[in-house]
Amino acid sequence: MSLHLYDTWTRSLREFTPLKAGEVGLYTCGPTVYNYAHIGNLRTYLFEDGLTRVLRLNGYQVNHVMNITDVGHLVSDADEGEDKMEAGSRRTGQTAWTIAALYTDAFRADLKALNIVEPTTWCKATDHIAEQISFIQEIEKKGYTYKTSDGVYFDTSKQSSYGYLGRLDIEGLQGGARVDLGEKRNATDYALWKFSAPEEKRQMEWDSPWGRGFPGWHIECSAMAHKYLGEYFDIHCGGEDHITVHHTNEISQTEAAYGTRLSNYWMHGYFLLTNDAKMSKSAGEFLRVQLLIDKGYDPISYRYLCLTAHYRSQLNFSWEALDAAQTALGRLRQNVFSLGEGAAKPNAEYVAKFMEKLNDDLNFPQALALAYELLKSDLPAAEKKATLIKFDEGFGFGLASWVPKEVEVPANVRAVADARWAARNAKDWAEADRLRGELAALGWAMKDGKDAYTLSKL
RNA sequence: GGCGGGUUAGCAAAGAGGUUAUGCAGCGGAUUGCAAAUCCGUUUAGAACGGUUCGAUUCCGUUACCCGCCUCCA
């Protein structure tokens, strides 16, 4: 089966056909670096990583561009309110530029911990102010802009196609608008450029043909996607929340400036929920990869958990589910390791089935089930191993390089264990059991093997 | 208020109009001095009501409940 992907634009599964043979232009909306990423944010990057892996498994060369939003969007209230970067700066007492660098590094560390392949091109919003300004000028030239006292806005009423991606009901939106329009002409109009307030000294502001200020929050993606991938490229991804506003406006801008809908396919990852509610940064506490590590989890266990659910359905996070994933991953790794070192080729039939699952809109849950079917099959060990390592190009668990962890055993623990091993071999069961209890008190479990024992931490 | 999605066994989560999802947990057995690990086997399903059908958890309708977006957001 050839690759089929769900396209939000058509709300249907479409066969994937690249615009240029053998190549894929992919733009994925990146983080706003005013705070750490939480594991809900990272679910979307895991979905996109799965996508790039599947594209590569299909033989495509993927030109993957991701932005770093290091200029503040606005905290709330449709183009009103304070700037997130400036707010983060005030919170931490560091410059906006410093915290942008800090959280960018933290984000990349998270990607690494989850074994997410980095994009081929990173681009920072603040490095592309000129591109954003000229993009706005292009829109202005086409007659879609108007100026208010606080910025330059896009007049969505001049664009009959506006809101198609989100299937927006413009009339309904006007009626149910939750915020004041201010000087905006329509509820769906959005800022292209915002002016710095006269009394305000911003850390991040630039001169523009319209006045000193900063870019609106959708223009960077349109401008950078245009610069690195052209007027029309293959796939654009983001979280489900981007459908109705951010991506709708990216399309709007690009359509005004260049007459395309920016990307041929639009794909969206769905949210991670906790306690059946969306995980959010504004709701205070949120789960970071570092917290998982601190609690003794391997971040790859979280990756495993995400792969057990389809990217297009919401996933309810719980520690119980993460425990299950960690156990399953541990066994899978041990299983693959135990298959030995023999050389073999991947089993063509299983690989074909595997590709069929992944090519069906990235069905990782079924692909994972197939891995277990393969493990239970009666194929030769070496062939199983080669096949699973092939599968892992999609999973990204790092199965090929995994080896059981060598644990450092303190000398006193080793001494007790040796004593128990001697007692056991002397069939002194009472003493052996007593010493096992002693080990447990020290926090160690002892497993008897045929010719030797192994120790593991409790 | 407008738009969209969901409800599957103890937990998480898939596909399929009729034939084992899968993982974790549980249970039984093998194995073990006892364990652990492993292996083999196995019990729990598809919100409620109605319709279509030889047959529906799967398609259609109604109801209930849950969630997301519409506001910064993955």
Side-chain angles (χ1 to χ4, degrees):
Chain A
M1 178 179 168
S2 59
L3 177 59
H4 284 67
L5 299 171
Y6 185 87
D7 180 15
T8 307
W9 181 263
T10 60
R11 302 288 159 102
S12 65
L13 228 47
R14 290 174 61 200
E15 178 168 6
F16 179 73
T17 315
L19 299 171
K20 264 187 266 175
E23 282 179 43
V24 177
L26 172 71
Y27 188 95
T28 58
C29 284
T32 303
V33 284
Y34 69 104
N35 203 336
Y36 294 103
H38 60 58
I39 60 173
N41 299 129
L42 290 161
R43 185 185 179 201
T44 297
Y45 302 107
L46 280 166
F47 141 61
E48 292 158 353
D49 187 54
L51 173 64
T52 60
R53 286 170 183 274
V54 170
L55 289 167
R56 291 195 176 105
L57 278 166
N58 277 281
Y60 294 113
Q61 186 196 315
V62 183
N63 187 12
H64 178 190
V65 178
M66 188 186 288
N67 63 293
I68 294 284
T69 300
D70 56 348
V71 54
H73 292 159
L74 298 151
V75 165
S76 65
D77 290 346
D79 306 314
E80 296 290 327
E82 73 182 343
D83 180 293
K84 275 198 286 200
M85 294 302 301
E86 303 272 343
S89 169
R90 206 168 315 117
R91 195 184 68 234
T92 58
Q94 291 175 303
T95 70
W97 300 95
T98 305
I99 64 165
L102 174 76
Y103 293 122
T104 299
D105 290 348
F107 178 69
R108 292 180 66 177
D110 285 345
L111 296 189
K112 193 169 183 213
L114 291 169
N115 202 22
I116 293 173
V117 179
E118 290 212 4
T120 42
T121 302
W122 287 106
C123 47
K124 281 160 59 180
T126 53
D127 286 343
H128 297 80
I129 300 297
E131 286 85 347
Q132 296 180 66
I133 289 173
S134 64
F135 204 104
I136 297 167
Q137 286 176 312
E138 200 62 37
I139 298 168
E140 190 175 43
K141 228 184 284 173
K142 305 280 163 66
Y144 287 92
T145 63
Y146 63 91
K147 213 168 151 177
T148 71
S149 59
D150 68 347
V152 177
Y153 285 82
F154 190 104
D155 187 343
T156 55
S157 70
K158 292 191 172 163
Q159 198 170 43
S160 59
S161 58
Y162 183 82
Y164 182 74
L165 181 75
R167 305 293 191 268
L168 296 186
D169 169 10
I170 310 291
E171 305 274 307
L173 280 172
Q174 301 278 19
R178 282 198 255 160
V179 289
D180 279 344
L181 284 187
E183 293 174 54
K184 290 203 304 187
R185 295 178 187 167
N186 309 286
T188 46
D189 290 356
Y190 54 92
L192 295 166
W193 187 264
K194 293 279 291 182
F195 302 135
S196 300
E199 71 282 0
E200 181 187 27
K201 179 62 195 155
R202 298 179 57 86
Q203 296 179 44
M204 289 180 161
E205 57 180 355
W206 296 267
D207 287 321
S208 83
W210 310 280
R212 196 160 177 77
F214 54 100
W217 77 277
H218 312 292
I219 197 71
E220 64 173 73
C221 287
S222 288
M224 295 193 287
H226 178 256
K227 173 174 180 178
Y228 294 105
L229 295 168
E231 293 178 8
Y232 192 57
F233 55 89
D234 294 293
I235 309 173
H236 192 127
C237 296
E240 57 168 316
D241 56 322
H242 282 338
I243 298 169
T244 48
V245 179
H246 184 54
H247 288 169
T248 288
N249 291 342
E250 281 186 51
I251 290 169
S252 157
Q253 292 163 344
T254 304
E255 197 170 280
Y258 300 106
T260 76
R261 62 178 150 95
L262 188 57
S263 176
N264 190 4
Y265 295 78
W266 288 85
M267 297 179 68
H268 297 91
Y270 281 67
F271 281 145
L272 181 78
L273 310 179
T274 39
N275 301 320
D276 291 313
K278 172 181 162 181
M279 183 174 291
S280 79
K281 289 184 188 173
S282 48
E285 276 282 297
F286 57 87
L287 304 177
R288 285 169 46 197
V289 168
Q290 189 56 49
L291 179 70
L292 266 42
I293 295 168
D294 293 344
K295 281 177 172 271
Y297 292 97
D298 184 328
I300 303 300
S301 300
Y302 177 63
R303 182 185 187 95
Y304 185 102
L305 176 61
C306 287
L307 293 194
T308 65
H310 193 264
Y311 78 89
R312 218 145 36 74
S313 62
Q314 294 176 336
L315 169 62
N316 201 12
F317 177 85
S318 67
W319 295 107
E320 193 183 1
L322 186 61
D323 283 335
Q326 173 123 317
T327 303
L329 174 66
R331 286 184 190 159
L332 182 61
R333 284 169 162 168
Q334 185 63 51
N335 267 323
V336 172
F337 179 76
S338 304
L339 290 171
E341 293 295 325
K345 280 191 170 170
N347 180 277
E349 201 177 316
Y350 270 97
V351 171
K353 273 196 215 173
F354 180 72
M355 289 310 297
E356 204 168 295
K357 305 290 187 195
L358 294 189
N359 282 349
D360 181 14
D361 198 28
L362 320 182
N363 198 327
F364 277 101
Q366 290 218 348
L368 213 43
L370 185 69
Y372 286 95
E373 192 187 299
L374 169 67
L375 273 171
K376 281 185 195 158
S377 73
D378 43 23
L379 290 177
E383 196 172 343
K384 279 188 189 176
K385 181 155 187 166
T387 310
L388 283 163
I389 283 169
K390 179 70 183 171
F391 283 15
D392 197 50
E393 289 176 26
F395 297 143
F397 297 144
L399 294 178
S401 57
W402 187 85
V403 289
K405 235 194 223 140
E406 298 275 338
V407 280
E408 287 255 336
V409 181
N412 62 321
V413 173
R414 176 68 66 190
V416 178
D418 283 340
R420 186 184 163 276
W421 183 250
R424 196 193 87 103
N425 287 336
K427 297 196 191 305
D428 184 352
W429 309 131
E431 177 65 359
D433 288 349
R434 191 187 67 75
L435 289 167
R436 191 208 295 283
E438 206 169 294
L439 282 168
L442 291 166
W444 291 80
M446 183 163 172
K447 296 176 195 170
D448 302 334
K450 207 170 158 196
D451 305 308
Y453 62 82
T454 53
L455 289 165
S456 58
K457 277 191 175 155
L458 285 172

